[in-house]
Amino acid sequence: MTPLPKKKRTRRQRGHNRAHQSLSLPAISTCPCPRGITIRPHRACPMCGNYKGRTLPGSFALDNLLETRQTAAAVATEDSES
Ligand SMILES: [Zn+2]
């Protein structure tokens, strides 16, 4: 026999319980690349593999614009210094 509640819960008790049952939206952030793709936080961008300003190993559909820009800037500074 299944356990049954001994007494009916009042509307107040029911509402008090349901006040904590709302769902929250998942946390989102945007890839710092100029494309601005929406990603989950603490995860690599699925399109360009950008994670903490570098590209994770693997094959991705798009280039990591952030890294290409940084390397281009580094090359430009190296050229100006020499
Ligand atoms: Zn990205």
Side-chain angles (χ1 to χ4, degrees):
M1 225 172 114
T2 52
L4 289 170
K6 248 177 199 173
K7 288 187 176 169
K8 177 183 177 176
R9 302 200 81 178
T10 62
R11 283 182 285 183
R12 181 179 173 169
Q13 288 172 321
R14 185 183 63 205
H16 192 78
N17 186 25
R18 288 179 185 174
H20 305 282
Q21 292 179 352
S22 64
L23 296 174
S24 59
L25 289 173
I28 53 169
S29 60
T30 51
C31 182
C33 280
R35 298 188 191 97
I37 298 168
T38 306
I39 52 173
R40 299 291 307 276
H42 308 291
R43 282 164 181 81
C45 176
M47 296 306 286
C48 64
N50 177 58
Y51 186 74
K52 286 187 176 178
R54 62 192 173 93
T55 307
L56 290 188
S59 58
F60 296 99
L62 303 171
D63 291 333
N64 184 358
L65 291 179
L66 207 67
E67 196 169 68
T68 54
R69 274 190 174 182
Q70 282 173 352
T71 52
V75 168
T77 53
E78 285 173 8
D79 289 345
S80 63
E81 285 170 2
S82 61

